[in-house]
Amino acid sequence: MNSELISVTSVKALGASSSRYAVDVAGKRRVVSAELIAEYGLRAGKVLTDTELTALDDAVRQLGVFDWAVRLLAVRAYGSGELRRRLTRDREISADDAAAAVERLQSLGVLDDYRYAIQRAHSYAQRSGMSRRRIAQELARRGLDRSIVDRVIAELKAEAAEGGTDDEAEAALAAAAKRVRAMSGLDPATRKRRLSAFLSRRGFGYSDISAALRKLSVESDDQE
């Protein structure tokens, strides 16, 4: 390729609040960062070799993947494995480019699997009433490393012990008591059946479910 055909014709900021720039090279617009401008010495009239242009295009592609990952994280939190899968599913993004974006986000402290896992675990326990076994399954399904899942579950156990409720039966009872308020219009047999199915879906074992249902039945009888 003739060097005159791969000269930089313009470099313009994309906006006052943007950290990205539009660079026109050989009639093609590329979005770059300030770091890439400095690295390649991009300015109007700059002539790039074929090798430099190829390297620049690789860097521009990787930057686009990184920016897309940042936009995804602005909408909701992700674990690293989950984010890699989302990147490769949404667009024609290679596994290598997705991995590079994730690694950069981790190095910047934006992506933290442990922090994400502990937040999800508390949400599952408090809002969804899941057992620790089911929480571990959900975290693993999101692609989190086994060592992180084990660490988070151990912390949940420790927190429960500190609160004096280191018993899955207590967690099952709390989840059932919260759920039963929406079943006041049902007959006892239907209420029991639906509560049992609800607790089973949340990963509680038979003995914990039975204990919770017995306790709720006793409390209901006492109130009557």
Side-chain angles (χ1 to χ4, degrees), residues 65-126:
V65 176
F66 174 80
D67 286 348
W68 176 234
V70 170
R71 286 194 289 273
L72 289 174
L73 288 171
V75 176
R76 75 168 179 86
Y78 285 86
S80 59
E82 190 180 22
L83 184 57
R84 278 194 298 269
R85 289 196 299 269
R86 176 66 187 276
L87 288 169
T88 54
R89 184 184 74 231
D90 282 356
R91 302 186 176 189
E92 293 183 357
I93 294 173
S94 70
D96 288 343
D97 285 347
V102 166
E103 288 174 8
R104 183 179 175 191
L105 288 165
Q106 289 174 324
S107 69
L108 293 171
V110 176
L111 196 61
D112 185 316
D113 276 358
Y114 168 72
R115 186 174 63 211
Y116 172 71
I118 200 70
Q119 290 172 345
R120 295 302 307 176
H122 281 128
S123 177
Y124 288 143
Q126 296 166 10

Side-chain angles (χ1 to χ4, degrees), residues 38-184:
E39 181 178 350
Y40 289 90
L42 300 176
R43 64 185 185 281
K46 167 73 174 182
V47 175
L48 300 173
T49 66
D50 290 344
T51 300
E52 288 174 329
L53 184 59
T54 298
L56 176 62
D57 282 341
D58 286 343
V60 167
R61 186 190 67 250
Q62 292 168 2
L63 179 64
V65 176
F66 174 80
D67 286 348
W68 176 234
V70 170
R71 286 194 289 273
L72 289 174
L73 288 171
V75 176
R76 75 168 179 86
Y78 285 86
S80 59
E82 190 180 22
L83 184 57
R84 278 194 298 269
R85 289 196 299 269
R86 176 66 187 276
L87 288 169
T88 54
R89 184 184 74 231
D90 282 356
R91 302 186 176 189
E92 293 183 357
I93 294 173
S94 70
D96 288 343
D97 285 347
V102 166
E103 288 174 8
R104 183 179 175 191
L105 288 165
Q106 289 174 324
S107 69
L108 293 171
V110 176
L111 196 61
D112 185 316
D113 276 358
Y114 168 72
R115 186 174 63 211
Y116 172 71
I118 200 70
Q119 290 172 345
R120 295 302 307 176
H122 281 128
S123 177
Y124 288 143
Q126 296 166 10
R127 297 178 60 185
S128 302
M130 291 183 183
S131 68
R132 289 193 290 266
R133 181 179 66 180
R134 176 65 187 280
I135 290 171
Q137 292 171 346
E138 286 296 311
L139 294 178
R141 185 179 65 82
R142 290 180 177 273
L144 292 161
D145 188 79
R146 179 60 182 271
S147 63
I148 291 177
V149 174
D150 289 345
R151 177 183 172 190
V152 168
I153 296 304
E155 292 195 18
L156 289 182
K157 289 181 181 180
E159 290 173 7
E162 289 177 3
T165 59
D166 189 21
D167 189 341
E168 286 282 83
E170 290 294 329
L173 175 60
K178 184 177 180 180
R179 183 71 171 181
V180 78
R181 299 188 192 107
M183 300 182 177
S184 58

